[in-house]
Amino acid sequence: MHPGHHSAAPVPRHVRQRDVLASLGAVLAAAGVALAAWAAHGAPEASRGSLQQAALFALLHGIGIAALAPLAVKRLARIALGLLLAGTLLFSGSVFAGHVWGLPTLLAPWGGSAAILGWLLHAWQRFPR
């Protein structure tokens, strides 16, 4: 049963999607805090700036996704939040993998672009018509 639902009826798909997005946003925010702590206290000096940027990106977008997900009634709103999630994972994940495993950060620009597109799509679908 979904919180707030008192029947044994299945939870509608769009409600589950909103709940999953809110949960993933919270996990992303927590990962941002953890990455910021590691960048400040455990990462090599040369990596700290980039890792702090990746942490900030993850933290802020995670908070945004977690806060906006319950309001994402329209399908387009959930697509926008999905773009924010994917963009954040690509950007912050690519920066993290580049510093930890020496992998190229080729996905970071794609992640940033996806996040920008997600925010613009969110703005467009919320704009009063």
Side-chain angles (χ1 to χ4, degrees), residues 40-123:
H41 304 291
E45 186 74 32
S47 301
R48 288 183 179 171
S50 294
L51 290 171
Q52 285 287 357
Q53 190 66 30
L56 180 64
F57 201 85
L59 176 63
L60 294 177
H61 285 85
I63 291 169
I65 293 166
L68 294 173
L71 306 174
V73 176
K74 296 178 185 174
R75 183 173 182 264
L76 205 52
R78 294 188 302 278
I79 291 170
L81 295 180
L83 282 168
L84 287 175
L85 178 64
T88 303
L89 291 172
L90 288 172
F91 179 84
S92 295
S94 183
V95 172
F96 177 80
H99 287 284
V100 173
W101 297 302
L103 298 175
T105 58
L106 300 174
L107 296 177
W110 290 101
S113 297
I116 292 167
L117 182 59
W119 281 116
L120 292 173
L121 184 59
H122 177 74

Side-chain angles (χ1 to χ4, degrees), residues 7-64:
S7 68
V11 177
R13 183 177 181 193
H14 72 279
V15 173
R16 280 195 323 269
Q17 289 172 343
R18 292 186 336 221
D19 289 346
V20 167
L21 282 166
S23 294
L24 291 175
V27 169
L28 197 57
V33 172
L35 182 55
W38 179 66
H41 304 291
E45 186 74 32
S47 301
R48 288 183 179 171
S50 294
L51 290 171
Q52 285 287 357
Q53 190 66 30
L56 180 64
F57 201 85
L59 176 63
L60 294 177
H61 285 85
I63 291 169

